[in-house]
């Protein structure tokens, strides 16, 4: 095991972090990260890990490089395992080599975990292959921001200009006029295509293509700033043809997800696939029951029931936690029929070896009742419903009206998440929020406990409100809001699709 891991975080897309990097982040005592390392990676850190931000943003450093080196050596010498997270690759214009030298000089061990460098990834996400058989067989990576203390420049502009290689400049936006002039003075054709990709691979990515003679003026007119990659070469002509990432329907749209953190990842992943900038603002906390004696009693007496009806993924998870803790498995369901409200709940059951006997076409209690009645539920049918402690009573009430004997089994309880609304208010005030999504009545109620309705109304109609179904929409209307978006199918994928087509 090394004292310090110099980890490449990649260019920003969370999916481009390597598996090895994630594993190290999950075990390290200290996580040190840069401005360009996506802060979403912090979720992988241990709950008790120390998180240290060191900045390094285009000349505005929270901590200068020499101080970073000193801090790494000092903390590692204390016996702490450090994950040093750097944007892109630690050895490609990342000053990782300098940090490694300092660690070696102090007698400390280190390991390098390479990352995907922005010079390859950002152009690829903008439809620009840095090499292509019809255009060029080589690529040159160049810093656009040299060490100002060097006595002599390391650039040979005549070589760059006469080369047929694709030229990729890092950290060069401020020096773009100088870069373009030097290349043209060295003999590079002024009509050579040039592309700029800002925030490559992130939901805020934007790109443009110009020519060497016009790029400085065009970039200024369009407000292109750091961090941007500059690509020079005929491969840039493929941008419009191959630019796949910027075609995503929600690219750059800020979407607030109010689901509980335990539930949010799947929805957030779907939204990110559509290009959205996801802000997780969990309004609900999912908590186990303080005493599981009642759950154990119900599991021990499973033979007394004809049907077990699961109404949520959380219900399945909590029920199974106790089931397995009792040393039991799916055989405990022998002879029982099982229903699942919604495809996600059904999938959670299937992952545990239970194929539901019934999944309704519409994922609301009223349709569940009619479907169960069609499948033989009648007077005297015994039904167990593992669910949240507080939930809608329509399902058990309607089943009882049909003569069924229903036992509600609380397997978890929901609470108000303690996260404050300040971060959301900042995003709203900055105009970074386009949609707020609600996936249950509880998310609506808790949202407005954290953020007063009057605060949200200030940002309408720019901010659109999306509800998963009519029950949630009715709760939202109780606070004086009309949902702008509601899918026909009351599922998470359908809600994401409705946002994408709005």
């Amino acid at each position: 095991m090394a004292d310090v891991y110099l980890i490449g975080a990649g260019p920003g897309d969370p999916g481009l972090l390597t598996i090895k990097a994630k594993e190290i982040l999950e075990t390290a005592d200290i996580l040190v990260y840069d401005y360009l390392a996506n802060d979403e990676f912090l979720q992988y850190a241990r709950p008790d890990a120390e998180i240290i931000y060191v900045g390094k943003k285009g000349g505005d450093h929270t901590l200068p490089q020499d101080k970073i080196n000193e801090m790494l050596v000092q903390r590692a010498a204390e016996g702490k395992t450090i994950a040093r997270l750097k944007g892109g690759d630690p050895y490609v214009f990342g000053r990782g080599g300098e940090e490694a030298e300092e660690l070696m000089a102090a007698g400390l061990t280190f390991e390098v975990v390479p990352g995907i460098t922005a010079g390859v990834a950002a152009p690829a996400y903008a439809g620009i292959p840095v090499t292509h058989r019809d255009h060029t067989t080589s690529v040159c990576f160049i810093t656009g921001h040299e060490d100002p203390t060097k006595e002599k420049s390391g650039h040979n502009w005549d070589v760059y200009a006469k080369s047929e290689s694709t030229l990729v400049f890092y950290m060069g936006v401020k020096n773009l006029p100088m870069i373009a002039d030097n290349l043209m003075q060295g003999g590079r054709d002024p009509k050579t295509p040039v592309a700029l990709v800002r925030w490559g691979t992130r939901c805020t990515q934007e790109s443009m293509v110009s020519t060497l003679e016009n790029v400085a003026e065009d970039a200024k007119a369009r407000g292109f700033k750091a961090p941007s990659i500059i690509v020079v070469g005929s491969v840039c002509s493929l941008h419009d043809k191959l630019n796949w990432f910027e075609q995503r329907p929600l690219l750059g749209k800020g979407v607030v997800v109010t689901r509980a953190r335990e539930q949010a990842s799947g929805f957030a992943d779907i939204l990110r696939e559509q290009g959205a900038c996801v802000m997780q603002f969990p309004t609900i906390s999912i908590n186990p029951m303080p005493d599981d004696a009642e759950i154990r009693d119900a599991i021990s007496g499973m033979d007394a029931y004809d049907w077990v009806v699961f109404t949520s993924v959380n219900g399945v998870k909590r029920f199974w936690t106790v089931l397995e803790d009792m040393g039991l498995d799916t055989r405990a369901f022998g002879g029982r029929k099982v229903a699942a409200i919604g495809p996600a709940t059904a999938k959670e059951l299937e992952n545990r070896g239970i194929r539901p006997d019934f999944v309704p076409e519409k994922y609301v209690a009223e349709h569940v009742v009619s479907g169960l009645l069609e499948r033989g539920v009648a007077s005297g049918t015994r039904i167990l419903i593992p669910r949240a402690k507080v939930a809608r009573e329509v399902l058990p009430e309607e089943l009882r009206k049909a003569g069924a004997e229903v036992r509600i089994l609380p397997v978890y309880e929901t609470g108000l998440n303690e996260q404050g609304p300040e971060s959301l208010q900042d995003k709203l005030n900055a105009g970074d929020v386009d949609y707020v999504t609600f996936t249950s009545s509880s998310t609506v109620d808790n949202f407005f406990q954290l953020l007063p309705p009057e605060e949200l109304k200030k940002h309408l109609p720019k901010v659109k409100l999306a509800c998963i179904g009519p029950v949630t929409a009715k709760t939202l209307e109780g606070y004086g809001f009309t949902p702008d978006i509601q899918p026909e199918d009351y599922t998470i994928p359908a809600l994401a699709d409705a946002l994408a087509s709005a």
Side-chain angles (χ1 to χ4, degrees):
M1 177 181 254
D3 297 310
V4 178
Y5 292 88
L6 303 174
I7 301 172
D13 181 342
L16 297 182
L17 186 74
T18 65
I19 294 173
K20 184 168 186 177
K22 177 177 176 288
E23 290 173 347
I24 294 169
L25 294 178
E26 290 171 340
T27 59
D29 300 310
I30 301 173
L31 172 56
V32 180
Y33 74 105
D34 276 354
Y35 168 68
L36 291 179
N38 194 323
D39 59 12
E40 285 192 38
F41 300 140
L42 304 185
Q43 67 179 306
Y44 298 128
R46 283 178 7 210
D48 61 337
E50 183 180 354
I51 310 295
I52 302 174
Y53 172 63
V54 293
K56 296 181 68 61
K57 174 185 176 182
D60 180 16
H61 294 189
T62 299
L63 201 64
Q65 185 64 51
D66 61 335
K67 296 297 183 183
I68 294 174
N69 298 344
E70 183 181 312
M71 182 265 293
L72 291 175
V73 169
Q74 178 184 343
R75 300 308 301 275
E78 296 172 0
K80 302 290 187 180
T81 301
I82 300 176
R84 170 70 171 109
L85 195 63
K86 304 172 74 68
D89 179 272
Y91 277 7
V92 180
F93 305 121
R95 304 188 73 172
E98 299 170 43
E99 294 176 5
E101 287 181 301
E102 292 286 339
L103 294 167
M104 283 292 291
L108 296 165
T109 59
F110 71 92
E111 184 175 325
V112 177
V113 181
I116 299 174
T117 183
V120 172
Y125 270 53
I128 302 170
V130 291
T131 64
H132 189 289
R133 291 181 64 180
D134 296 336
H135 294 269
T136 181
T137 56
S138 58
V139 58
C140 182
F141 297 113
I142 308 163
T143 179
H145 180 74
E146 283 192 282
D147 182 350
T149 64
K150 289 171 60 176
E151 294 183 4
K152 184 179 179 181
S153 172
H155 290 309
N156 189 327
W157 292 102
D158 287 341
V159 172
Y160 297 157
K162 293 178 173 59
S163 170
E164 293 186 359
S165 298
T166 300
L167 306 179
V168 180
F169 290 88
Y170 291 65
M171 304 167 289
V173 172
K174 289 183 179 179
N175 295 326
L176 184 55
M178 178 271 289
I179 292 170
D181 287 344
N182 282 336
L183 289 175
M184 287 187 289
Q185 288 175 17
R188 195 83 171 207
D189 185 349
K191 303 297 183 184
T192 301
V194 180
L196 269 71
V197 187
R198 185 167 192 255
W199 286 121
T201 79
R202 302 195 184 205
C203 64
T204 50
Q205 174 179 308
E206 56 180 331
S207 60
M208 58 166 282
V209 176
S210 183
T211 59
L212 202 55
E213 62 184 346
N214 295 325
V215 67
E217 184 179 336
D218 289 347
K220 182 179 179 181
R222 291 188 56 172
F224 262 73
K225 300 177 182 178
S228 294
I229 289 289
I230 303 166
V231 187
V232 180
S234 62
V235 289
C236 297
S237 63
L238 297 170
H239 169 273
D240 291 349
K241 180 180 181 181
L242 302 180
N243 187 6
W244 58 275
F245 184 68
E246 291 174 35
Q247 308 308 313
R248 296 188 170 189
L250 290 174
L251 186 72
K253 299 294 185 181
V255 182
V256 176
V257 174
T258 57
R259 300 191 92 193
R261 194 170 297 279
E262 296 87 346
Q263 300 172 301
S265 59
F267 188 26
D269 289 343
I270 295 171
L271 292 171
R272 289 192 188 98
E273 280 297 309
Q274 301 277 23
C277 298
V278 178
M279 177 185 177
Q280 295 200 26
F281 184 69
T283 61
I284 296 175
S285 62
I286 305 296
N287 308 306
M289 299 299 296
D291 185 351
D292 61 12
E294 185 179 356
I295 306 173
R296 289 172 175 271
D297 175 69
I299 293 173
S300 297
M302 287 271 279
D303 289 347
Y305 302 100
D306 303 299
W307 280 85
V308 182
V309 179
F310 289 95
T311 61
S312 70
V313 169
N314 287 317
V316 176
K317 289 180 176 179
R318 290 305 309 159
F319 189 87
W320 243 263
T321 296
V322 179
L323 182 80
E324 292 178 343
D325 190 53
M326 294 173 65
L328 301 175
D329 55 27
T330 55
R331 287 172 292 183
F333 285 83
R336 315 284 76 72
K337 291 186 177 181
V338 178
I341 298 184
T345 305
K347 185 176 181 181
E348 192 68 29
L349 285 166
E350 289 169 2
N351 290 342
R352 298 168 189 275
I354 297 288
R355 188 182 296 269
D357 298 280
F358 172 53
V359 182
E361 292 183 5
K362 293 286 186 178
Y363 312 118
V364 290
E366 293 82 353
H367 288 272
V368 179
V369 172
S370 61
L372 288 172
L373 294 179
E374 291 172 3
R375 285 160 179 79
V377 170
S379 179
T381 302
R382 295 159 298 178
I383 301 174
L384 179 68
I385 305 179
R387 64 167 215 186
K389 182 177 180 181
V390 178
R392 293 181 74 216
E393 298 299 329
V394 175
L395 177 59
E397 287 176 356
E398 291 300 314
L399 288 171
R400 286 175 182 135
K401 287 179 183 178
E405 298 176 13
V406 180
R407 177 179 179 182
I408 296 172
L409 179 65
V411 294
Y412 68 95
E413 48 188 2
T414 60
L416 180 67
N417 191 284
E418 295 181 359
Q419 175 179 330
E422 293 80 10
S423 58
L424 176 59
Q425 287 179 319
D426 289 344
K427 292 283 187 181
L428 286 166
N429 292 335
D432 294 337
V433 176
D434 296 283
Y435 301 102
V436 178
T437 62
F438 299 102
T439 55
S440 68
S441 291
S442 297
T443 60
V444 177
D445 291 331
N446 287 10
F447 182 88
F448 289 116
Q449 284 193 55
L450 294 167
L451 188 80
E454 294 72 23
E455 279 297 316
L456 184 59
K457 288 178 180 177
K458 295 177 184 177
H459 303 281
L460 305 181
K462 193 269 183 185
V463 175
K464 307 297 183 185
L465 308 181
C467 288
I468 195 169
V471 175
T472 306
K474 186 175 181 181
T475 304
L476 183 64
E477 289 166 1
Y479 288 91
F481 297 90
T482 300
D484 302 284
I485 298 166
Q486 182 181 308
E488 291 186 10
D489 292 330
Y490 316 143
T491 66
I492 291 298
L495 180 57
D497 288 342
L499 288 168
S501 59

